[in-house]
Amino acid sequence: FNTSPTAVFDVCAAADGRIVAMAGGRIVVAHTTAAGLEFRTVYVHVDLGTVSKVAGDPVRRGEVLGLADAATSPIHLHFG
């Protein structure tokens, strides 16, 4: 788990999963529970130019996905 991000605006994965979509400043990550149920997390206002992953790639809890988009004012991230 990333307990010491390198920048205030790091966007980190909330749980292990895989990226299922990236577009329009959004990253969607699918996760599977121990019971086999799937849920998704959505990160909005991400600067996709800072993302080194592509759809289909696995992610680990705490892994930096990218940076919050500095073009939003004030800089913020929606997570749901």
Side-chain angles (χ1 to χ4, degrees):
F1 183 70
N2 187 9
T3 58
S4 55
T6 58
V8 175
F9 307 114
D10 286 353
V11 177
C12 301
D16 293 352
R18 66 181 166 77
I19 296 175
V20 294
M22 293 190 335
R26 294 174 172 84
I27 299 175
V28 180
V29 179
H31 313 274
T32 305
T33 67
L37 301 173
E38 184 178 287
F39 68 97
R40 295 179 179 208
T41 52
V42 181
Y43 305 83
V44 181
H45 297 309
V46 178
D47 178 354
L48 296 181
T50 65
V51 178
S52 63
K53 302 266 186 182
V54 297
D57 283 350
V59 295
R60 301 287 302 179
R61 177 179 175 228
E63 182 176 352
V64 175
L65 300 174
L67 300 176
D69 188 349
T72 60
S73 180
I75 297 174
H76 64 283
L77 171 75
H78 295 270
F79 169 79

